[in-house]
Amino acid sequence: SAVISQKPSRDICQRGTSLTIQCQVDSQVTMMFWYRQQPGQSLTLIATANQGSEATYESGFVIDKFPISRPNLTFSTLTVSNMSPEDSSIYLCSSTAGWDSNYGYTFGSGTRLTVV
Amino acid sequence: GESVGLHLPTLSVQEGDNSIINCAYSNSASDYFIWYKQESGKGPQFIIDIRSNMDKRQGQRVTVLLNKTVKHLSLQIAATQPGDSAVYFCAENKDSSYKLIFGSGTRLLVRP
C-alpha cells in the first residue's frame, strides 16, 4: 500500500499564527483526506482534498480556517489559520487509490499541534 | 504522554485470551468497513476490512463480523498479545465519495 510522509510531526505555535502541514504520498492516489483527532477522541473528517480544485469541506469546517491545497495526485497541504488553543489536536492526512484497488486507505503519522 | 484513547471505553484482557471489540455504525447504506489500530504517536494502521456483501472475514489472528440487520461490526482478536494494546477504531464508507467516517473507538489493554 501507499506510504505517506507527513510533516511536521509536531509543533508548538502561538495563538493568532498559522501552520501549514504537508503530506507526500509515494504513489499516485485517487483521493486524499484531512482529519482532526482531538485528545482522547476519534478521528473527525475535515475535508476531501481535490486535485486542482477547491477542497470539499465537512459540516463545521470552513475554507478560511482550514485552507487546503492539492496541486497534484501525490501532494497536499492543510493550513490551520489564525490558531487558538482550541485548535490543539492531532491532524492526519489519508489517501486511497480506491477500495477496488489493493491500496486501501493509508494514513500519515500525524501532526501533533499545540497552540499556546 | 499518550493522548490517544484517554477518554475512550477500555477493554482489559488477559494475555492469551481472545478479545472482542464492538462497533455500531450509523448508515444502513454503508457498504465498506475497516478496522484500524492506533498506537500512541502514530497514525491509524489497517487491520482488516469487509464489504457489505459479506458477514465474516478472517485474517491472521483477527476476524471481522458484520451484522447488517442491527448495524453492528465486531473485531475478534485471537490469543491477544501485549503488542495488541492500542486504540481500535471502526470506520465506514457511507457513499461513493470514498470518505471514511470513524466510530468512537475502544482502548484495548492486555494484562501480562
Side-chain angles (χ1 to χ4, degrees), chain B residues 44-110:
Chain B
Q45 176 188 358
F46 174 92
I47 301 174
I48 192 168
D49 59 359
I50 189 168
R51 298 192 184 185
S52 58
N53 60 353
M54 303 173 69
D55 297 323
K56 178 180 179 179
R57 192 167 187 218
Q58 289 184 293
Q60 187 176 16
R61 276 201 312 121
V62 295
T63 301
V64 54
L65 299 177
L66 175 62
N67 185 330
K68 294 181 287 294
T69 302
V70 295
K71 294 188 287 187
H72 183 267
L73 198 66
S74 69
L75 176 69
Q76 300 177 359
I77 304 174
T80 313
Q81 302 169 359
D84 295 327
S85 292
V87 177
Y88 290 80
F89 295 101
C90 66
E92 63 182 299
N93 173 259
K94 288 190 172 182
D95 53 41
S96 59
S97 68
Y98 292 99
K99 294 189 294 186
L100 278 185
I101 305 301
F102 279 74
S104 56
T106 298
R107 184 176 184 219
L108 177 65
L109 289 177
V110 181

Side-chain angles (χ1 to χ4, degrees), chain A residues 70-108:
Chain A
R70 189 179 173 196
N72 56 52
L73 287 174
T74 64
F75 184 78
S76 180
T77 67
L78 168 76
T79 299
V80 186
S81 302
N82 188 25
M83 289 183 284
S84 67
E86 291 72 32
D87 295 320
S88 297
S89 273
I90 300 171
Y91 292 86
L92 300 113
C93 62
S94 174
S95 72
T96 182
W99 63 78
D100 290 332
S101 75
N102 293 325
Y103 296 127
Y105 289 78
T106 306
F107 284 81

Side-chain angles (χ1 to χ4, degrees), chain A residues 56-70:
Chain A
T56 305
Y57 290 84
E58 298 299 306
S59 176
F61 298 95
V62 295
I63 187 171
D64 290 345
K65 177 66 176 177
F66 298 102
I68 288 170
S69 77
R70 189 179 173 196

Side-chain angles (χ1 to χ4, degrees), chain B residues 21-37:
Chain B
I21 300 171
N22 297 303
C23 177
Y25 63 92
S26 58
N27 191 338
S28 58
S30 293
D31 58 3
Y32 181 61
F33 305 87
I34 308 176
W35 278 101
Y36 284 97
K37 172 186 180 182

Side-chain angles (χ1 to χ4, degrees), chain A residues 40-52:
Chain A
Q41 298 187 25
S42 185
L43 284 75
T44 301
L45 181 64
I46 297 172
T48 302
N50 300 310
Q51 189 224 343

